[in-house]
């Protein structure tokens, strides 16, 4: 089933307005991991923000489970988790515990498995501002995972993460997918996630260059496209 569909979506931003995304058609099926690739400034974050209704408008249509979203993205917010490229944009609690409970009833038990897999269990009474960059990103990831999202947006989630944290996150994404959730992930570090990817999307200068199985688009992941090539034949097979 198609969870999210974009049809002919274009976005202009700035003053005077400049077209950032042009005529994007794409589908996010349920129970899949989608990797979004593109050079710096090609429009990946704007695409995320548009899908989340945060760009102040777009042309074209976005449908969630077949229903057009129009100007109201709240049905999407109810089922989505998001990790922005800069986690400081989404950390508002005085302590980690408070932050993780934002948007949830105060007596909601925190998922200990998520906390321990992200190494946050012993930090719950600390202030987010006291954490390292990698810890703050792990907190943002934990917050996005807490609500068991049906759709998870991750913008450069691997930046600053150590190797065990990356592996834990990958396992978590795989589990989410097996439970029927969908993950959309923008990353310049595609090496670790590649074996889990069901669908590849490549954006170039605000246009969709490729959407399909990863194997069919692997040839686009080259320095010519401004992308770091995939590391080995083993990853591609
Ligand atoms: N609010 C805004 N107003 C005007 N232009 C914007 C705005 N936000 C983003 N842009 C422009 O849109 C383009 C795409 O930006 P975006 O952040 O989506 O790139 P990206 O693909 O996520 O890049 P990176 O890989 O560096 O994270 C850039 O040229 C950026 O300057």
């Amino acid at each position: 089933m198609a969870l999210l569909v974009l049809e002919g979506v274009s976005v202009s931003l700035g003053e005077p307005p400049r077209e950032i995304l042009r005529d994007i058609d794409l589908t996010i099926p349920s129970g899949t991991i989608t990797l979004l690739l593109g050079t710096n400034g090609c429009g990946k974050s704007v695409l995320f923000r548009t899908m989340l209704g945060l760009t102040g408008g777009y042309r074209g249509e976005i449908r969630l489970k077949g229903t057009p979203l129009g100007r109201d993205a709240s049905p999407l917010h109810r089922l989505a988790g998001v990790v922005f490229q800069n986690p400081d944009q989404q950390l508002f609690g005085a302590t980690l515990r408070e932050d993780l409970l934002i948007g949830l009833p105060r007596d909601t038990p925190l998922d200990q498995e998520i906390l321990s897999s992200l190494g946050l269990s012993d930090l719950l009474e600390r202030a987010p501002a006291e954490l390292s960059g990698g810890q703050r990103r792990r907190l943002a990831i934990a917050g996005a995972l807490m609500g068991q999202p049906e759709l998870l947006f991750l913008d450069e989630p691997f930046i600053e993460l150590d190797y065990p944290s990356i592996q834990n996150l990958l396992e978590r994404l795989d589990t989410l997918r097996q439970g029927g959730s969908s993950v959309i992930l923008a990353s310049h570090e595609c090496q670790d996630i590649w074996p889990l990817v069901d669908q590849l999307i490549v954006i170039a200068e605000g246009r969709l260059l490729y959407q399909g199985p990863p194997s069919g688009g692997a040839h686009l992941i080259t320095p010519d496209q401004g992308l770091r090539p995939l590391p080995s034949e083993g990853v591609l097979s």
Side-chain angles (χ1 to χ4, degrees):
M1 183 187 79
L3 180 58
L4 193 66
V5 173
L6 274 67
E7 225 171 68
V9 168
S10 300
V11 176
S12 297
L13 295 175
E15 203 50 61
R18 186 165 67 86
E19 193 169 57
I20 308 293
L21 296 176
R22 178 174 297 183
D23 213 13
I24 302 279
D25 291 328
L26 60 84
T27 298
I28 305 298
S30 293
T32 55
I33 295 179
T34 296
L35 175 64
L36 179 60
L37 290 181
T39 52
N40 290 135
C42 74
K44 301 181 294 298
S45 298
V46 170
L47 182 59
F48 274 8
R49 297 178 74 80
T50 300
M51 292 192 246
L52 287 158
L54 300 174
T55 48
Y58 56 87
R59 298 182 297 287
E61 186 164 273
I62 300 181
R63 291 192 296 276
L64 178 66
K65 297 181 179 177
T67 304
L69 281 178
R71 287 183 162 271
D72 178 15
S74 57
L76 180 59
H77 296 171
R78 279 196 280 278
L79 55 79
V82 58
V83 177
F84 292 114
Q85 193 166 0
N86 176 0
D88 293 338
Q89 288 178 344
Q90 63 187 109
L91 302 180
F92 301 111
T95 62
L96 271 69
R97 182 188 299 282
E98 208 180 287
D99 195 83
L100 289 165
L101 286 171
I102 287 174
L104 301 171
R106 282 198 70 81
D107 54 356
T108 305
L110 293 175
D111 185 323
Q112 295 302 325
E113 206 185 311
I114 293 175
L115 293 177
S116 70
S117 72
L118 289 162
L120 297 171
S121 306
D122 297 334
L123 303 173
L124 290 177
E125 307 314 325
R126 300 265 299 274
E130 290 174 13
L131 302 183
S132 73
Q135 287 171 329
R136 279 203 294 279
R137 190 169 305 277
R138 284 193 261 148
L139 172 59
I141 292 170
L145 291 172
M146 274 302 159
Q148 300 292 328
E150 197 173 335
L151 178 58
L152 180 62
F153 294 89
L154 299 171
D155 199 350
E156 298 290 348
F158 304 127
I159 294 176
E160 299 169 308
L161 290 194
D162 56 30
Y163 187 66
S165 303
I166 292 174
Q167 294 307 313
N168 281 329
L169 177 57
L170 293 177
E171 278 171 30
R172 181 66 55 178
L173 299 185
D174 197 18
T175 307
L176 268 181
R177 169 175 59 179
Q178 285 170 30
S181 297
S182 300
V183 178
I184 316 174
L185 180 148
S187 176
H188 292 286
E189 302 293 331
C190 53
Q191 179 173 350
D192 292 313
I193 185 78
W194 188 261
L196 292 184
V197 173
D198 300 300
Q199 163 166 263
L200 176 67
I201 290 176
V202 183
I203 306 274
E205 294 175 5
R207 293 167 184 258
L208 188 76
L209 192 62
Y210 177 80
Q211 169 169 24
S215 54
H219 67 284
L220 295 169
I221 307 175
T222 64
D224 284 352
Q225 295 293 343
L227 299 172
R228 183 186 304 170
L230 288 162
S232 69
E233 290 171 12
V235 170
L236 286 177
S237 62

